[in-house]
Amino acid sequence: MCILRFLLIWSTLASGLLTTIACPILPAATNSTSPSSTRIIGWVSQPSNRGSIDIIWTCLFTIFICTYTVLCLNVPSSDESTFDIVCRRLFWMAIAIIGPEFVLTYASGQWGTAKESVELFHAAGYQSWTMRHAFFADMGGFLLIPATGGIGKPFRITAKHLHYLVQRKYLDYPDVSQEELWDKSKQDTITKIITCFQIFYLVLQCIGRAVQGLEITTMELSALAIVVCTIFTSVCWLRKPLDVRTPMKLYMNATVEQVLLEAGDVAAKPYKQTPLDFIDDLCPSWELNVQTFMKLPTTPRERPITRFGNDRFPNLKGYQELFLCFATLLYAAIHLAGWNFSFPTKLELVLWRVSSMFLFGNTVLFWVCETTSSWYRNGRWQRIFYRAFKPSKLEDVEKARLARRDQQVPKVLPLRWEFWSIFPLAVTYGAARGYLIAEVFLELRSLQPNAYVNVNWSAFIPHV
């Protein structure tokens, strides 16, 4: 955070220096007493124009500060270096810029899992368990130390693991307050204030330019879309601790072998992630499922897994699913606002429209495919059919479905047909997103004159 503060101070000084260099040298003024004087008498207004550097600086700095502050990554492995941690953060910042809705999807999944954890603990009588506790557990904040005498070594546990162990008296309920957990978080108030200010300035700038009929560049529109998506992401991670480096140790009063033996046949299979896979196997996720399906290497390779990945897919219900659907569609729809923008060439205008439509259309198709497959797996289509045409048999059919579900072996995701049905959407999405990113820079070579005109009140709003 000290490095970031230094960068913010440097960026402020650099912005002032660039403005000074960009501004034309004012002609020397004279007065009656000293013809050679270079002083200017009275108030001098700021120039009504802005330069290319102003557009680029405002947009890129706002995107950088938003993606930097929004990320709440999981606790790293104890043997990872600072370099590894920084590289992972830069990697996720790049994802938050290229495809911010992916980070939003993972964040909403963590939000949904945390909420489910709170409901489980409250039902068990542990009212002090909060969303902050749930996030901390699911990010790998608790390290389980098995009792001596067993062969198992310490490993990270999720909130579901913790609930199972506490309920069966293998582990005491962790008496950790919200304040203690938040004390491990490295939230930087100054950085967040600057971030909020930059977001406010960018949004106000776009609104002001639209109201006064001034040109909005595609770079500003794309930055606005990323900022809006980032705001939704920050809502999901509102109670998640930031940049926790070391987990809390929890000492179990039983061995792992004892837990597995008393769990029965459900825990008999060899584990893939942790010995408690029969409770929560950390799936489905991009790394553990999709990369494995595509025969790509995964990290970390050590088992039990030494850290939890940040790419677990969501299993949302109700308003949380609607929240994610609305946010992703809004992000895609913002690009459609550039439908009638003035582009350097007719071809670029057509490509922007086509790419924007692909971005929005693929998002809609994804939600249709995902909802259809999810309803099929959960038997919702069957329930709708019997409720509409054979309501008298609905109860019997539902009991039979639940009985079959309990006896079935869970299918490994992604299913082959699901993967290949979504694959074309991913390819066309990548191509469309790639062009939209390229165009925000290409357009700067030729802009309408009023794109460089300031909103008459925006220049008086202080900003970085």
Side-chain angles (χ1 to χ4, degrees), residues 11-12 27 30 87 91 138 142 145 160 167 185-186 196-197 256 259 299-300 310 316 362 387 394 399 443 448 461 464:
S11 66
T12 305
T30 60
C87 287
F91 170 77
D138 287 334
F142 290 121
I145 311 295
K160 286 184 179 179
Q167 280 289 87
S185 178
K186 298 175 180 62
C196 293
F197 200 82
V256 174
V259 174
T299 56
N310 299 282
L316 303 177
N362 283 7
R387 184 176 288 111
L394 177 62
K399 289 180 180 179
E443 188 203 24
Q448 291 289 337
I461 301 174
V464 177

Side-chain angles (χ1 to χ4, degrees), residues 127-407:
Q127 300 299 319
S128 61
W129 186 263
T130 64
M131 289 289 289
R132 194 164 292 170
H133 289 84
F135 271 121
F136 185 77
D138 287 334
M139 69 188 294
F142 290 121
L143 180 68
L144 184 67
I145 311 295
T148 57
I151 59 174
K153 60 180 181 180
F155 58 92
R156 307 286 176 91
I157 57 173
T158 66
K160 286 184 179 179
H161 295 152
L162 183 61
H163 177 265
Y164 180 92
L165 297 174
V166 170
Q167 280 289 87
R168 288 158 180 78
K169 309 301 181 183
Y170 296 123
L171 183 69
D172 294 331
Y173 175 75
D175 187 17
V176 183
S177 66
Q178 291 194 66
E179 291 71 24
E180 290 178 89
L181 294 180
W182 205 241
D183 187 58
K184 294 180 72 67
S185 178
K186 298 175 180 62
Q187 298 278 1
D188 191 321
T189 304
I190 295 177
T191 305
K192 286 194 172 293
I193 291 174
I194 294 175
T195 303
C196 293
F197 200 82
Q198 283 297 123
I199 292 173
F200 175 75
Y201 176 77
L202 179 66
V203 173
L204 199 63
Q205 176 86 348
C206 291
I207 293 175
R209 300 190 71 81
V211 170
Q212 296 189 1
L214 299 176
E215 185 87 0
I216 299 175
T217 65
T218 54
M219 180 174 285
E220 290 170 311
L221 187 66
S222 295
L224 180 64
I226 293 173
V227 164
V228 169
C229 200
T230 301
I231 292 173
F232 283 105
T233 303
S234 64
V235 171
C236 295
W237 275 338
L238 191 61
R239 294 182 178 86
K240 184 177 181 181
L242 172 67
D243 202 20
V244 179
R245 296 295 180 90
T246 56
M248 292 184 175
K249 296 180 180 180
L250 299 179
Y251 293 89
M252 191 165 62
N253 51 31
T255 64
V256 174
E257 291 77 14
Q258 180 182 346
V259 174
L260 298 178
L261 181 63
E262 294 179 2
D265 294 338
V266 69
K269 295 189 304 180
Y271 70 85
K272 294 182 178 180
Q273 321 305 339
T274 74
L276 302 181
D277 275 356
F278 67 96
I279 305 169
D280 184 5
D281 62 357
L282 308 177
C283 293
S285 76
W286 172 267
E287 186 172 27
L288 299 177
N289 291 86
V290 180
Q291 285 187 207
T292 303
F293 180 85
M294 299 171 67
K295 310 299 182 184
L296 298 175
T298 60
T299 56
R301 297 181 178 87
E302 184 181 351
R303 295 296 184 269
I305 199 167
T306 55
R307 67 173 177 84
F308 296 155
N310 299 282
D311 54 358
R312 190 170 185 176
F313 293 131
N315 181 23
L316 303 177
K317 301 174 183 177
Y319 73 90
Q320 293 173 327
E321 188 173 18
L322 293 176
F323 174 86
L324 179 59
C325 179
F326 172 77
T328 52
L329 289 174
L330 177 61
Y331 164 76
I334 289 175
H335 294 85
L336 291 172
W339 189 272
N340 291 319
F341 277 16
S342 175
F343 287 84
T345 64
K346 181 68 174 180
L347 177 61
E348 289 174 82
L349 171 62
V350 172
L351 287 176
W352 181 273
R353 290 178 175 179
V354 171
S355 298
S356 300
M357 286 298 296
F358 265 114
L359 198 67
F360 185 79
N362 283 7
T363 305
V364 173
L365 285 175
F366 169 80
W367 278 108
V368 171
C369 293
E370 176 62 24
T371 303
T372 301
S373 60
S374 175
W375 283 22
Y376 173 78
R377 287 195 297 267
N378 297 330
R380 188 173 296 184
W381 292 117
Q382 188 181 49
R383 291 197 297 274
I384 292 175
F385 174 81
Y386 278 95
R387 184 176 288 111
F389 300 102
K390 299 180 180 180
S392 60
K393 296 184 178 181
L394 177 62
E395 185 176 353
D396 295 336
V397 170
E398 183 64 12
K399 289 180 180 179
R401 186 188 68 83
L402 293 175
R404 289 195 304 271
R405 186 191 64 180
D406 294 338
Q407 295 174 1

